[in-house]
Amino acid sequence: MDQNKTARMKELAAILNSASKAYYAQDMEVMSNLEYDRLYDELTALEEETGVILANSPTMQVGYEAVEELPKERHETPMLSLAKTKDREELRDWLNGREALLSWKLDGLTIVLTYFAGKLAKAVTRGNGEVGEVITNNAKVFQNVPLSIPYQGELILRGEAVISYSDFEEINRRIGEADAKYKNPRNLCSGSVRQLNNEITARRNVKFYAFSLVKAEGVDFFDSREEQFAFLSRQGFDVVEYRRVEPDTILSAVSDFEKKIETYDIPSDGLVLTYENISYGQSLGRTAKFPRDSIAFKWADELRETVLTDVEWSASRTGLINPVAIFEPVELEGTTVSRASVHNISIVRGLKLGIGDHITVYKANMIIPQIAENLTGSDTLKIPEICPVCGQPTQIRQVNEVQSLYCNNPSCDAKKIKSFTLFVSRDAMNVDGLSESTLEKFLAKGFLHEFADLFKLARYEQEITQMEGFGEKSYQNLMESIERARNTTLPRVIYGLGIENIGVANAKTLCKHFRYNLDALCAAEPEELSAIDGVGDVIAAGIYSFFRNQERMEQLKRLLPEITIAEEPAEEESQTLAGMNFVITGSLEHYENRSALKEAIEAKGGKVTGSVTGKTACLINNDTASASSKNKKAKELGIRIVSEEEFMREYL
């Protein structure tokens, strides 16, 4: 065997696995879809040519392991990927003279729903195809999932959870700050579906479209996929849009879908073709990765050649500096485009960009402009050594195998937005009416320089009421919200200051330890701080450094006269859970969410952690008999598993 080919296969497997992990497990995009498909096809061709498939080859894998935050469960039937093609004639030949259903291949997150006795009993993500994450509580707040259905037997179906382009744009519009915006609907949907708090899911307008029936006992579908779709529609499900096709109509049907995608509001990255006759499709069996009864069709991307004229470097509130390619305008999928995000330094270097280079561009999924290839490859683009906002030095950092450019200046004006956004957030000072875009405008006009200035905005009444989007009513609402925020608590203030690694829980812990005495906290030495449960040396050093910064302390002194901090002495007699650790998992019935139960535990001196250890007092799980990873760990360590009611009765 050619050793060069083997080496190339190993290289391709490593590149593709890394890209897949970033995309599916971390919701990050390190290469374009076009580039991924090209490399995947190259690997497949080498495997066919050599007859060798490496153990870590992505052609033998279905996905990545589910994240730890949600319970895991094994699928009753493995969820396989689909073989794919971009050739329309190949799609017609695949029919082999038979009828099939042609439907959208939606671009979201695949979900398996299970119903018992007409009620939604379980929802599980695709995960790695064998094991997925249980997201039942979140599925119950999808916009169009029926909680009750007429059919009373066991029903299992698969579908795609998606967020429409219009909802995606509306959510991004409300965010304001460019770096905080979501990159695409799929990433937003993935994060929304897998939230631990389904209140967030409910606000995201997630919809579910059924595309496959797995089980429905006692129902005769007359060996027809279309009958299965009709049955699901009768149960109240939105079924993915489809057309019944045969060899003579398949090409025109594909063209119809192609025209529709230009204005289709639901993200789609292609089509799926499935044999109409169920028994025939099942008789074909499956390969190690693909079922033989279906095939995916992906759009052949429309490529246009153009010239790179500039790269803009946009500094964000996190310090991240994003590269955006500017090129001579070209027509793509019916619109004129001249800009495309390059995402990070890794992609810049991979493309070997240089001003004046000839590049090809396309729209990923016919929507998002991307650079496909650099035909020149001059590799002459200079990475900025200074921040475009503050002029201070930049630094290239590597996070999750991706190199990105950052501004090192903690006082960079772009970063002040982040500080003020945190300060006015719900868990901090809780000021309504101050979005990031509004804060950015106030900072640009010089209304805000430090936190104390927030409570002096009334002196700019005339300027604010004349700003776009503001009027007298908006101004009055903002002033009322600021006045309410003056009365606050010490944990809110400590959290709002933005001390590194100090979240809501740590802020509460610090305040309790120092008996809500701010002076004592400010004067604390690293040794005392690191001895506090949950703090440790690194966090202690950050707290100590923060309160030893003269400029920050001067700003804090100017802030304190503007606010009134409520007295909250720790009540020793109520600290019945002091020194005890608890873990919460699964859905709750008596408490609104896990955060509410966590606050109740912390109010009595207890601590809530994310994983079961030998120090855990008990695991709180209403499904005490489930086979979740946390339940298994608790049983291994001899830790009690109690229901919500048992916990309330025994501990609260």
Side-chain angles (χ1 to χ4, degrees), residues 46-57:
L46 285 170
E47 289 176 346
E48 291 176 354
E49 180 182 348
T50 62
V52 172
I53 300 178
L54 301 169
N56 69 334
S57 172

Side-chain angles (χ1 to χ4, degrees), residues 12-28:
L12 289 170
I15 293 171
L16 292 168
N17 286 335
S18 177
S20 291
K21 183 175 181 180
Y23 187 72
Y24 289 108
Q26 299 162 347
D27 291 335
M28 295 175 60

Side-chain angles (χ1 to χ4, degrees), residues 499-502 524-527 529-530 535-548 552:
I499 305 171
E500 189 173 6
N501 295 317
I502 297 300
E525 296 293 326
E527 294 77 11
L529 291 166
S530 62
V535 176
D537 293 340
V538 175
I539 297 178
I543 299 169
Y544 179 80
S545 175
F546 184 92
F547 289 120
R548 294 305 178 280
R552 289 197 188 107

Side-chain angles (χ1 to χ4, degrees), residues 188-427:
L188 174 59
C189 183
S190 177
S192 301
V193 167
R194 296 154 65 196
Q195 288 288 331
L196 296 180
N197 182 351
N198 70 348
E199 291 181 19
I200 299 174
T201 308
R203 294 198 295 266
R204 301 283 176 78
N205 292 337
V206 180
K207 295 181 177 66
F208 175 86
Y209 292 90
F211 61 65
S212 175
L213 178 64
V214 179
K215 178 190 285 188
E217 297 174 341
V219 181
D220 186 356
F221 296 110
F222 307 103
D223 212 18
S224 166
R225 294 282 183 192
E226 192 166 22
E227 281 296 322
Q228 289 185 336
F229 276 5
F231 168 78
L232 290 174
S233 293
R234 291 195 296 271
Q235 304 308 308
F237 295 99
D238 285 334
V239 174
V240 64
E241 183 182 345
Y242 71 92
R243 290 268 300 273
R244 188 163 176 161
V245 298
E246 56 188 27
D248 290 341
T249 60
I250 178 69
L251 297 184
S252 63
V254 170
S255 296
D256 289 343
F257 275 107
E258 184 179 26
K259 293 175 184 175
K260 187 167 185 176
I261 199 173
E262 295 178 8
T263 57
Y264 197 49
D265 198 32
I266 303 171
S268 168
D269 57 357
L271 303 171
V272 175
L273 189 62
T274 304
Y275 286 118
E276 155 65 6
N277 186 279
I278 297 173
S279 58
Y280 175 74
Q282 291 175 340
S283 73
L284 300 175
R286 48 176 275 190
T287 68
K289 185 178 180 182
F290 307 126
R292 291 194 172 99
D293 67 343
S294 301
I295 188 171
F297 172 79
K298 300 196 72 174
W299 307 109
D301 299 295
E302 182 182 359
L303 294 175
R304 288 287 182 271
E305 184 176 336
T306 183
V307 176
L308 184 69
T309 58
D310 196 8
V311 172
E312 289 183 358
W313 298 88
S314 175
S316 72
R317 62 188 178 89
T318 62
L320 180 67
I321 302 176
N322 297 299
V324 178
I326 312 298
F327 45 83
E328 293 180 357
V330 291
E331 289 289 321
L332 275 177
E333 312 293 353
T335 62
T336 302
V337 296
S338 59
R339 301 167 62 90
S341 174
V342 194
H343 301 297
N344 52 57
I345 299 300
S346 294
I347 294 179
V348 168
R349 288 176 169 167
L351 288 169
K352 297 183 178 180
L353 294 177
I355 305 303
D357 284 1
H358 285 254
I359 59 175
T360 57
V361 294
Y362 72 107
K363 282 188 177 180
N365 298 335
M366 304 177 76
I367 299 294
I368 304 169
Q370 301 278 300
I371 296 178
E373 187 178 3
N374 185 357
L375 303 177
T376 307
S378 68
D379 202 16
T380 57
L381 183 68
K382 293 186 180 298
I383 308 300
E385 296 181 355
I386 60 172
C387 172
V389 174
C390 67
Q392 295 300 304
T394 59
Q395 179 185 31
I396 295 176
R397 302 179 199 164
Q398 184 158 318
V399 180
N400 293 326
E401 302 176 5
V402 176
Q403 289 187 333
S404 300
L405 188 66
Y406 288 85
C407 172
N408 284 328
N409 179 14
S411 301
C412 178
D413 282 347
K415 295 182 179 180
K416 284 185 180 180
I417 299 171
K418 177 183 178 182
S419 300
F420 274 95
T421 301
L422 175 66
F423 187 71
V424 303
S425 66
R426 184 179 60 180
D427 291 324

Side-chain angles (χ1 to χ4, degrees), residues 77-148:
T77 305
M79 301 183 67
L80 304 178
S81 299
L82 295 179
K84 67 179 186 298
T85 181
K86 292 185 178 182
D87 189 316
R88 302 182 188 212
E89 294 296 334
E90 184 179 339
L91 205 62
R92 182 169 61 182
D93 293 343
W94 181 89
L95 282 174
N96 197 25
R98 294 181 173 272
E99 288 188 317
L101 301 185
L102 183 68
S103 62
W104 291 116
K105 183 176 180 291
L106 299 182
D107 191 19
L109 201 67
T110 301
I111 307 292
V112 183
L113 300 182
T114 300
Y115 288 76
F116 291 113
K119 303 293 183 184
L120 176 61
K122 187 168 50 182
V124 184
T125 67
R126 180 182 184 277
N128 70 350
E130 298 284 344
V131 178
E133 300 164 298
V134 179
I135 48 98
T136 310
N137 204 37
N138 294 338
K140 289 180 178 178
V141 298
F142 288 177
Q143 294 295 298
N144 61 341
V145 165
L147 301 181
S148 300

